[in-house]
């Protein structure tokens, strides 16, 4: 019990004289809860009297002074649990577990209560999930709703929430969506049908010296942001279009590839885009988690040479590439890729405008980027 509570009240509570303690607290503080300690003492007294609702009322008053007080949250969860309001108990216990996860030091009484809290939380969470799953079984159509299924994983704590966090420029109002279904793009089927043509052109230049490290030291900014694959041959690129310019001779050798993606709304910005490249992740390669520069574009992958155990994670969803199956995702959300095979992985990458941007917004963004790029030239 908090030491700021008068000793006589503490003695009454320790002796189990809860009615007397409740009356003394009420008289001494004139029916008010002036601070956290008084609220806790009153809650203990009311709970001992069997008045759970009054105890919860006292705790709510106490928590107005310290919303994250662990003693108050634990006691509130215990009262809800004992009175069969287990969903509310689970919410209180969840708050406790979240707070202690980042705490560096805890009082002994809190530390000793954690195993019970953790056990009760998982007991209620398991029962609640079983109840929900049983209820949803009668609605089998929910299994065919990917976004609903993702929401369920988030609710159950089986997945974390990831948001668009571009490193350079954030355009508000665009959805925080990890992967985009191909059905949203009327050009997707044409690109996938061109897989053989694109792979053939890649193979025709595969012995050239066009592949180079994707991350190169001379491209780094003045702060020298060091990438784990800087100047590494683990992750290589062969550009057909770079900063909006054709890269000879590879663009000429892959004219069929460029013709196939010419019908795509590529993110064309003078001096910056679009880009189109063959990306190679060699055996054992891992591209560490990172975020792209802008959320105004989406990244498209057309897998061409894909051994087993080659995957892409965007946010909380992991995708395994399949040859010829287009993958469209928002690279402003944290993502990573790996090749756990003993062979190379090759894909075609190109970027498109975010489909939620209208023509005027695209033009404004283009003008913004161009003005940034010409700042020093006009100085």
């Amino acid at each position: 019990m908090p030491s700021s509570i008068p000793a006589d009240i503490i003695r009454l509570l320790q002796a189990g004289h809860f009615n007397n303690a409740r009356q003394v607290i009420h008289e001494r503080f004139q029916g008010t809860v002036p601070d956290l300690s008084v609220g806790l003492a009153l809650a203990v007294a009311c709970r001992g009297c069997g008045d759970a609702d009054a105890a919860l009322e006292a705790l709510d008053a106490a928590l107005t002074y310290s919303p994250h007080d662990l003693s108050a949250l634990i006691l509130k969860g215990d009262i809800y649990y004992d009175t069969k309001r287990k969903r509310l108990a689970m919410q209180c216990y969840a708050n406790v577990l979240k707070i202690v996860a980042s705490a560096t030091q805890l009082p002994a009484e809190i530390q000793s209560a954690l195993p019970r809290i953790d056990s009760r939380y998982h007991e209620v969470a398991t029962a609640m999930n079983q109840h929900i799953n049983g209820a949803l079984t009668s609605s089998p159509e929910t299994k065919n709703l990917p976004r609903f299924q993702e929401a369920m994983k988030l609710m159950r704590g089986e997945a974390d929430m990831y948001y668009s966090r571009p490193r350079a420029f954030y355009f508000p109002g665009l959805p925080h969506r990890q992967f985009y279904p191909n059905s949203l793009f009327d050009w997707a089927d044409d690109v996938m049908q061109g897989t053989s043509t694109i792979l053939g052109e890649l193979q025709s230049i595969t012995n050239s010296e066009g592949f180079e490290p994707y991350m190169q030291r001379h491209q780094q900014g003045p702060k020298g942001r060091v990438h784990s694959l800087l100047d590494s041959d683990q992750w290589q690129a062969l550009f057909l279009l770079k900063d909006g310019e054709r890269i000879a001779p590879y663009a000429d050798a892959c004219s069929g590839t460029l013709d196939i993606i010419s019908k795509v709304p590529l993110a064309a910005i003078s001096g910056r885009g679009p880009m189109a490249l063959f990306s190679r992740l060699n055996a054992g390669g891992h591209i560490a988690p990172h975020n792209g520069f802008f959320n105004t574009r989406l990244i498209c992958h057309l897998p061409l040479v894909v051994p087993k155990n080659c995957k892409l994670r965007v946010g909380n969803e992991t995708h395994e590439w399949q040859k010829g199956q287009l993958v469209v995702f928002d690279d402003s959300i944290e993502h990573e890729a790996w090749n756990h095979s003993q062979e190379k992985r090759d894909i075609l990458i190109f970027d498109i405008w975010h489909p939620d941007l209208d023509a005027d917004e695209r033009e404004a963004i283009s003008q913004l980027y161009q003005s940034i790029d010409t700042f020093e030239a006009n100085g």
Side-chain angles (χ1 to χ4, degrees):
M1 186 59 56
S3 58
S4 60
I5 295 296
D8 59 331
I9 296 176
I10 293 177
R11 286 194 296 270
L12 288 171
L13 292 173
Q14 290 175 337
H17 301 316
F18 299 115
N19 280 311
N20 290 342
R22 181 179 182 179
Q23 183 176 353
V24 171
I25 293 170
H26 180 79
E27 292 173 352
R28 190 159 299 173
F29 298 101
Q30 301 179 340
T32 66
V33 177
D35 58 33
L36 172 68
S37 298
V38 172
L40 278 168
L42 180 58
V44 171
C46 292
R47 185 191 188 195
C49 295
D51 192 343
D53 288 339
L56 292 169
E57 184 178 344
L59 286 170
D60 285 339
L63 286 165
T64 62
Y65 298 101
S66 182
H68 304 296
D69 183 77
L70 291 172
S71 295
L73 289 171
I74 290 172
L75 182 55
K76 190 173 183 179
D78 288 343
I79 293 172
Y80 279 136
Y81 185 89
D82 292 341
T83 54
K84 309 301 182 184
R85 288 175 274 187
K86 293 189 176 181
R87 181 170 60 86
L88 294 174
M90 183 178 71
Q91 294 174 1
C92 292
Y93 292 149
N95 287 337
V96 171
L97 295 172
K98 182 177 180 180
I99 293 170
V100 301
S102 59
T104 56
Q105 191 172 3
L106 295 170
E109 64 272 17
I110 301 296
Q111 192 69 49
S112 64
L114 290 182
R116 171 175 55 80
I117 294 167
D118 186 72
S119 175
R120 287 184 171 184
Y121 171 81
H122 286 94
E123 170 205 325
V124 178
T126 298
M128 183 176 177
N129 287 334
Q130 290 175 345
H131 172 80
I132 292 172
N133 290 338
L136 293 179
T137 300
S138 60
S139 303
E141 64 273 11
T142 60
K143 295 180 180 179
N144 300 318
L145 301 174
R147 288 193 292 176
F148 178 80
Q149 292 301 323
E150 182 179 354
M152 293 296 296
K153 289 180 180 179
L154 292 169
M155 187 189 76
R156 291 193 294 260
E158 297 172 359
D160 293 325
M161 294 184 187
Y162 286 85
Y163 300 99
S164 172
R165 298 183 185 277
R167 285 188 278 161
F169 179 73
Y170 177 79
F171 193 95
L174 300 180
H176 302 269
R177 188 170 188 173
Q178 297 167 173
F179 288 96
Y180 284 71
N182 293 336
S183 59
L184 292 179
F185 309 105
D186 56 10
W187 46 264
D189 285 343
D190 290 338
V191 170
M192 290 188 287
Q193 289 170 8
T195 299
S196 296
T197 297
I198 296 170
L199 176 57
E201 292 188 336
L202 169 61
Q203 291 172 335
S204 72
I205 58 174
T206 193
N207 294 324
S208 72
E209 297 179 355
F211 277 99
E212 58 186 9
Y214 186 87
M215 304 295 299
Q216 299 185 41
R217 193 170 303 275
H218 67 82
Q219 297 171 337
Q220 299 298 293
K223 293 184 179 179
R225 182 184 177 92
V226 178
H227 193 280
S228 61
L229 294 181
L230 187 65
D231 292 331
S232 170
D233 286 333
Q234 272 197 331
W235 185 19
Q236 297 177 304
L238 189 154
F239 280 89
L240 307 181
L241 301 175
K242 189 174 185 179
D243 298 331
E245 301 292 332
R246 290 171 62 93
I247 305 300
Y250 312 115
D252 297 333
C254 298
S255 58
T257 298
L258 293 179
D259 182 62
I260 289 169
I261 65 172
S262 66
K263 304 174 182 64
V264 172
L266 299 173
I269 299 174
S270 179
R272 286 186 178 245
M275 69 169 182
L277 65 138
F278 294 114
S279 171
R280 173 168 292 171
L281 189 59
N282 283 308
H286 175 223
I287 303 171
H290 64 288
N291 296 68
F293 286 94
F294 321 104
N295 70 327
T296 53
R297 68 177 185 182
L298 300 179
I299 300 297
C300 303
H301 285 183
L302 181 67
L304 302 170
V305 179
V306 188
K308 292 183 179 179
N309 298 319
C310 291
K311 297 181 181 181
L312 167 70
R313 177 186 69 82
V314 181
N316 57 38
E317 187 175 352
T318 299
H319 176 88
E320 187 163 0
W321 289 291
Q322 299 179 40
K323 180 180 177 180
Q325 294 298 309
L326 187 70
V327 180
V328 183
F329 67 97
D330 184 346
D331 78 325
S332 70
I333 297 173
E334 182 188 277
H335 59 287
E336 65 179 319
W338 55 91
N339 177 359
H340 287 162
S341 78
Q342 299 302 311
E343 305 171 57
K344 65 184 179 184
R345 179 237 61 185
D346 289 339
I347 59 177
L348 174 70
I349 298 180
F350 53 92
D351 57 346
I352 63 171
W353 282 109
H354 196 293
D356 284 33
L357 294 171
D358 61 34
D360 290 339
E361 290 170 329
R362 295 178 184 182
E363 178 60 26
I365 293 167
S366 298
Q367 292 179 9
L368 169 66
Y369 292 156
Q370 291 173 50
S371 68
I372 292 172
D373 291 341
T374 58
F375 169 66
E376 291 183 342
N378 295 332

